[in-house]
Amino acid sequence: MPVSTQRHQFRYPGFLRLPQELLDEIISDLDHTDLVSLALVCRASSTLVIPRHTEYRVLRTRHLLPAMWAHLARRADLARNIREVHISERTNKTASDRVPKTLIDSVVDQKVVHVMEENRVRNICVALAHMRRLHTFTWSWEVKPPALPTIEARHENAILAVLSMKTSLRHLGLSGLFGSHAPGLTYDRDSVRYPLWNFSNLTSLCLRGDAWIKPANTIHLKKLLTQCPDLEYIEMPMEVSALADCQFPNLKRLNLFLQSGGLRSIDPSYVRFLNDHPTIEDLSWLPLGPVYISPRTLPSLRRLRTNIQVVGMLECQSIECIDIYQLDPATLVELRNLQGGSVRRVKLHAFGELDALHELAELFPDLTWLSMPSRYGHFSLDDWLNLLPRFKKLEVFRGQGLWAAVTLNMQRMHGVIMQLVQTCPNLRQLDHCGHNEARQDWNRISIIREGPGGENVRYEVDRPPARCVAFLFCTIHAC
């Protein structure tokens, strides 16, 4: 037990007087939010939680960190509490690194022997084996020029083999040149020579890369998908023909994208797939050619990213968020099946005419989130100040139109914000003119209302929120 806890143990009856091993076992079941709450109770509980638990829930790294992996391989008592592991390329800064540091032994863990790649991979495998509560693993290796994620193919196999045996794992994401060495059906008729084919019971699966669209891997992928009948989230290339033949009774989120190229002949198979999965709530899909979809397809759909043709065919009474390719205000006004529904969030790809935007505000009075193109528009400041208050429930406005109207003048923008907080009583966020290159998005202006009735208003500039490393589902509700 930590020294400070032993010293003051007599002051804290009940829970905090339990043996260290039992306390660790109980606290290991808490998530990060609950850990913070427990740490704030008193000094003794803080000593128990920090850093033994706070640094060992989520692991996210863009670096090799041989000392960290040696530490986790050596300290099974700490590694067992890790729930999520996210590994990505060094240039991927869409999310901040999150690694344990406090308890790493500078003598034992930082030995030169751990730097050798063979030993580092061995330590990764041992550490992953310790993580008995691991439920999420993502590995992104989108480097330029494209390169394999490991020096040797057997290293990739070793890591995936350990993961395939973890019964707790539910979410898996691989993005990059994974599986490029996987033998085809001719040399692997039972789909056992590449560890990915042995995964089962996943609820989320993201696969991005050229290996998954190889015809030689079709049967292997079908085996993988068959072993995961409870999938709720799928993100993979449209060229994966095995997907269209599978059934997932609990599927809620589907992201289909074009990896390298395809023929229009794949569209009908995905139309049938959508018809067979009425449980889908989030869909991102751009068909390659004209398709026909029954209006009653996808009755549970809430968020949609597609083209005008598809959205025009569906009954959209339950849709809340739309991101339609090349959508402008006039076209949205003409989509009668969206009017009178539950649309709350809209992403426009063109500014269009001011009159069409005025009509849009009338037809969609419940809109809370509006995104305009990031490039500068042709509207004047008076146009914007007249337009935005027409959206009575607007909370978030994305785009650089306001900044263009004030010619990037900070002082003028301050006055605009103060005026908008009066005319748009629900407004809480705008885009800033500063672009965060690390997270590839615009900084945010967060409007904070304090006091009775929100009479005191201030605002602050924040960087854009972190995005998940491998699960890249592009629905506007995450913005």
Side-chain angles (χ1 to χ4, degrees):
M1 182 176 291
V3 175
S4 61
T5 305
Q6 290 178 329
R7 186 178 303 158
H8 302 287
Q9 184 180 12
F10 66 92
R11 299 182 184 177
Y12 305 104
F15 169 71
L16 293 178
R17 298 185 64 183
L18 293 172
Q20 175 73 44
E21 295 79 7
L22 187 55
L23 281 172
D24 271 340
E25 190 67 28
I26 295 172
I27 297 174
S28 64
D29 285 329
L30 301 179
D31 291 327
H32 183 73
T33 304
D34 297 323
L35 286 176
V36 175
S37 300
L38 179 59
L40 294 174
V41 170
C42 62
R43 181 175 298 179
S45 61
S46 174
T47 305
L48 285 170
V49 171
I50 303 173
R52 288 181 59 86
H53 292 274
T54 54
E55 292 188 8
Y56 298 87
R57 284 298 185 271
V58 177
L59 176 63
R60 186 181 296 116
T61 178
R62 299 177 293 115
H63 306 279
L64 298 178
L65 301 182
M68 182 202 70
W69 289 113
H71 165 69
L72 293 175
R74 182 174 60 86
R75 294 295 301 272
D77 59 319
L78 301 175
R80 66 175 186 168
N81 294 322
I82 294 178
R83 268 72 158 168
E84 302 180 25
V85 173
H86 305 278
I87 302 173
S88 65
E89 62 277 11
R90 185 183 295 266
T91 57
N92 190 333
K93 299 179 181 180
T94 54
S96 301
D97 283 6
R98 190 170 171 179
V99 297
K101 297 179 180 178
T102 309
L103 300 179
I104 292 181
D105 191 313
S106 59
V107 176
V108 178
D109 298 326
Q110 294 185 2
K111 291 181 178 179
V112 177
V113 66
H114 296 313
V115 178
M116 298 175 59
E117 186 63 9
E118 187 76 22
N119 294 333
R120 191 182 76 91
V121 171
R122 184 182 297 111
N123 286 332
I124 291 175
C125 293
V126 174
L128 290 173
H130 292 329
M131 300 176 191
R132 65 185 190 187
R133 290 179 172 85
L134 184 69
H135 59 69
T136 301
F137 181 87
T138 68
W139 192 353
S140 172
W141 207 252
E142 298 282 356
V143 296
K144 294 182 180 180
L148 297 176
T150 56
I151 295 176
E152 297 185 33
R154 61 189 179 91
H155 293 163
E156 176 188 333
N157 283 0
I159 294 172
L160 292 179
V162 173
L163 291 169
S164 68
M165 293 184 288
K166 303 204 73 63
T167 57
S168 62
L169 193 69
R170 291 293 177 267
H171 314 287
L172 176 68
L174 299 176
S175 180
L177 293 183
F178 293 90
S180 57
H181 62 280
L185 190 62
T186 303
Y187 301 99
D188 186 14
R189 292 191 175 277
D190 297 324
S191 303
V192 294
R193 296 184 60 186
Y194 182 56
L196 179 63
W197 314 141
N198 299 322
F199 280 72
S200 60
N201 299 320
L202 298 174
T203 58
S204 300
L205 178 62
C206 167
L207 296 177
R208 287 177 171 265
D210 294 334
W212 321 126
I213 65 176
K214 292 180 179 178
N217 287 333
T218 299
I219 300 299
H220 300 322
L221 277 169
K222 190 168 184 178
K223 177 197 173 188
L224 168 64
L225 294 170
T226 303
Q227 292 168 170
C228 303
D230 296 325
L231 279 171
E232 299 177 6
Y233 175 101
I234 297 177
E235 179 175 344
M236 61 177 52
M238 285 192 289
E239 298 96 319
V240 178
S241 58
L243 175 63
D245 299 328
C246 298
Q247 291 281 342
F248 306 100
N250 300 318
L251 185 61
K252 294 181 179 180
R253 304 179 65 186
L254 177 64
N255 182 8
L256 299 172
F257 58 91
L258 201 62
Q259 180 69 39
S260 61
L263 302 175
R264 293 181 179 180
S265 57
I266 67 176
D267 285 340
S269 61
Y270 282 112
V271 171
R272 290 193 298 271
F273 183 84
L274 296 179
N275 282 326
D276 293 338
H277 292 83
T279 57
I280 293 177
E281 297 178 2
D282 294 19
L283 173 64
S284 178
W285 174 54
L286 290 171
L288 301 179
V291 295
Y292 172 75
I293 299 178
S294 171
R296 298 185 181 277
T297 303
L298 304 177
S300 304
L301 194 62
R302 297 174 58 194
R303 288 167 283 272
L304 178 62
R305 182 175 181 264
T306 186
N307 59 24
I308 295 173
Q309 176 199 14
V310 172
V311 72
M313 295 179 184
L314 296 172
E315 291 183 358
C316 301
Q317 296 304 309
S318 62
I319 289 185
E320 299 175 0
C321 308
I322 55 173
D323 178 2
I324 310 302
Y325 180 63
Q326 294 185 334
L327 183 67
D328 58 35
T331 304
L332 181 54
V333 167
E334 293 174 359
L335 291 171
R336 302 296 180 185
N337 56 330
L338 288 173
Q339 297 171 19
S342 54
V343 177
R344 300 291 184 272
R345 304 186 179 195
V346 171
K347 181 174 182 179
L348 297 173
H349 291 254
F351 287 99
E353 298 299 325
L354 198 58
D355 291 341
L357 285 168
H358 290 169
E359 189 173 358
L360 182 67
E362 295 178 4
L363 294 174
F364 297 91
D366 295 327
L367 213 62
T368 61
W369 191 99
L370 177 64
S371 174
M372 303 286 282
S374 59
R375 62 183 184 276
Y376 294 160
H378 56 278
F379 300 148
S380 68
L381 180 57
D382 289 338
D383 291 336
W384 286 114
L385 293 178
N386 177 266
L387 170 65
L388 294 181
R390 293 172 181 260
F391 295 94
K392 304 296 184 181
K393 299 183 180 181
L394 187 65
E395 298 177 9
V396 177
F397 177 64
R398 296 267 179 269
Q400 293 295 300
L402 285 171
W403 287 99
V406 300
T407 61
L408 298 179
N409 186 300
M410 298 288 183
Q411 191 62 36
R412 292 184 65 193
M413 190 61 182
H414 171 77
V416 170
I417 295 173
M418 291 297 101
Q419 186 170 343
L420 285 175
V421 297
Q422 299 178 48
T423 57
C424 301
N426 298 307
L427 189 65
R428 57 180 175 83
Q429 200 171 78
L430 298 167
D431 273 359
H432 191 264
C433 64
H435 192 266
N436 190 301
E437 297 300 328
R439 294 190 172 173
Q440 302 175 18
D441 202 354
W442 299 97
N443 290 329
R444 310 287 200 242
I445 299 175
S446 299
I447 298 170
I448 303 166
R449 304 171 192 268
E450 300 171 323
E455 59 185 19
N456 300 322
V457 179
R458 61 183 177 89
Y459 63 88
E460 56 189 30
V461 179
D462 303 315
R463 62 176 178 171
R467 286 181 287 179
C468 188
V469 175
F471 294 108
L472 306 174
F473 193 86
C474 299
T475 49
I476 57 180
H477 76 286
C479 300

